[in-house]
Amino acid sequence: MRVLAICTLIGFFGLGMETFVTAIDVAWGKMMRGQPYTDLNGYSSLWYFPLYFSSPLLFEICRQLGLLNHSLLVRGTAYTLIIFAAEYIGTGITQKLVGRAPNEKIYRRSRWNINGRIKLSLAPAWFIAGLSLEYIFLQLVNL
């Protein structure tokens, strides 16, 4: 029951965090193009909930493998790569199930997209997100 609660909490936190990150990403893109952007709308999809929900299991594997003994740079980079891989695979599965990936339309607008599934310009955000999720995971596990 405790594992289910931790997975659920991190699942919801992940969706909220993604909405926050994408709002900043969209605003930054518009600012760089000289366009006003004041509404700060972010986006996510419930299709991403299983990815965030399963992340505590991944953090536990990383903990068992000793990744948490490495520097923030190594851990953040590893989490960024893992997030990109999970997003790419997860959105591919979603494309097969419903005909398109949740953020495909938005991601394809970026020159930094890969097949409309991931957006490389989000790497700094996923670096911070991975470390944030790690911190929350450790706090919940050590309660």
Side-chain angles (χ1 to χ4, degrees):
M1 189 63 155
R2 181 172 157 81
V3 172
L4 182 62
I6 290 172
C7 290
T8 302
L9 283 171
I10 289 183
F12 285 121
F13 177 81
L15 290 177
M17 181 179 54
E18 182 174 12
T19 302
F20 180 81
V21 165
T22 55
I24 292 171
D25 181 56
V26 171
W28 180 261
K30 288 196 174 207
M31 286 187 330
M32 298 309 292
R33 291 187 301 275
Q35 300 171 340
Y37 194 76
T38 56
D39 50 348
L40 294 175
N41 289 330
Y43 53 87
S44 189
S45 170
L46 288 179
W47 287 106
Y48 288 124
F49 185 78
L51 296 174
Y52 291 116
F53 181 87
S54 62
S55 65
L57 305 174
L58 184 62
F59 284 119
E60 184 56 34
I61 291 169
C62 289
R63 185 164 76 159
Q64 296 296 324
L65 293 174
L67 180 64
L68 302 186
N69 298 328
H70 292 279
S71 69
L72 288 175
L73 180 63
V74 169
R75 295 191 334 259
T77 302
Y79 296 145
T80 301
L81 295 173
I82 291 167
I83 289 168
F84 277 143
E87 185 177 26
Y88 191 87
I89 292 165
T91 54
I93 292 168
T94 306
Q95 278 179 327
K96 297 279 188 219
L97 292 173
V98 298
R100 69 176 192 81
N103 294 334
E104 182 176 359
K105 189 169 121 181
I106 296 165
Y107 279 16
R108 286 204 184 274
R109 293 182 201 153
S110 170
R111 66 179 175 175
W112 301 100
N113 89 86
I114 297 180
N115 300 327
R117 293 189 195 173
I118 61 173
K119 195 169 150 185
L120 296 177
S121 60
L122 291 175
W126 296 147
F127 183 97
I128 294 167
L131 292 171
S132 298
L133 287 170
E134 173 198 81
Y135 176 80
I136 291 168
F137 166 74
L138 292 173
Q139 297 307 307
L140 291 171
V141 168
N142 293 325
L143 283 178

